[in-house]
Amino acid sequence: MAHPKHKISKSRRDKRRTHKKLSAPTLVLCPQCHEPKRPHYVCLSCGTYKGQTIIAIKET
């Protein structure tokens, strides 16, 4: 197994890990039902995209 020749400092290690993080998804309001949805996706509440009904949603 390979072993490091010199110790990697915590600062140097953490600089490498700066991009490994989670971010909250971007949400916008649906123009029809005003529920939060992902941009450029079909609204899962009302089933519309750009004013057109794409998927039929069962009414409960």
Side-chain angles (χ1 to χ4, degrees):
M1 298 275 282
H3 294 284
K5 194 163 240 186
H6 299 284
K7 178 180 177 178
I8 303 297
S9 68
K10 293 174 191 137
S11 171
R12 193 173 190 86
R13 175 199 67 196
D14 294 344
K15 280 188 214 174
R16 187 175 60 246
R17 295 179 182 173
T18 57
H19 305 292
K20 293 187 176 185
K21 61 188 174 204
L22 293 176
S23 61
T26 306
L27 296 175
V28 296
L29 292 179
C30 174
Q32 271 70 34
C33 64
H34 305 289
E35 290 288 323
K37 72 173 194 83
R38 304 229 6 230
H40 309 289
Y41 277 70
V42 173
C43 178
L44 297 177
S45 298
C46 62
T48 59
Y49 182 70
K50 291 188 176 180
Q52 297 179 347
T53 302
I54 306 297
I55 55 175
I57 303 294
K58 293 181 181 177
E59 297 294 327
T60 57

